[in-house]
Amino acid sequence: MIDLKKFIAKNIFIAILVVFSQLQSQRTLTVGGTNWTVTIPSITEAGNNYAGTYESSTNQIILAASVPLLLTSGKVSMHYVANPTWNSNLILSARRTGDGTTTCVGCSISGGTTYTVIPPTTDIEFFRITAVLALASYSNIPVQLQLSGVSVTLPATSYNSQIVFTISAL
């Protein structure tokens, strides 16, 4: 004979697991902004070097991220890819210059407020978003870029890279 209470409890538990697993896969990340072209002044006197470090506007990149509910977190990571040419002496970094906007009460965004060196090909954590019993949805998260290592010792050419952002579960 089937115990109706156990049968109902088991099915409710399975339904909760299915819903939870669906929510876990609903992290989203949208990247906006404009390309950054670094303007490097000419050297007019022998023996001088470039300033070496250059910064973009404080909102060069705009991110929007969502993390599902039920006490979960999303980790936003980044790396760069040479596009097509890059010099390993150039160091690309990023920092989050604000929290963006959210209507989520009790949710939080943390990390990434100091420059983080962006590695080539391997992701590094940039910041985290934590959801507490609500969808943590942030928009207009401003990101500033920094380029360092610019020197007269680098071959004169155009260097390009592409930053790749990802969001994943912790």
Side-chain angles (χ1 to χ4, degrees), residues 31-128:
V31 181
T34 59
N35 290 335
W36 179 39
T37 302
V38 181
T39 303
I40 300 178
S42 299
I43 293 180
T44 57
E45 193 162 325
N48 286 349
N49 200 348
Y50 296 109
T53 301
Y54 302 89
E55 292 181 326
S56 72
S57 65
T58 57
N59 61 348
Q60 189 68 45
I61 297 172
I62 302 294
L63 300 176
S66 295
V67 176
L69 56 108
L70 298 175
L71 302 171
T72 188
S73 296
K75 174 178 74 170
V76 176
S77 302
M78 61 186 171
H79 72 272
Y80 77 84
V81 177
N83 188 25
T85 306
W86 192 254
N87 187 298
S88 61
N89 292 316
L90 294 172
I91 300 167
L92 193 57
S93 302
R95 71 181 179 132
R96 186 173 54 81
T97 57
D99 291 346
T101 55
T102 186
T103 57
C104 180
V105 176
C107 297
S108 64
I109 185 170
S110 60
T113 56
T114 59
Y115 278 113
T116 301
V117 174
I118 305 170
T121 66
T122 304
D123 277 339
I124 188 169
E125 183 175 328
F126 186 28
F127 63 88
R128 293 180 183 199

Side-chain angles (χ1 to χ4, degrees), residues 6-20:
K6 284 184 180 178
F7 179 76
I8 292 173
K10 181 179 177 183
N11 285 333
I12 290 173
F13 180 71
I14 290 171
I16 289 171
L17 285 177
V18 168
V19 168
F20 184 70

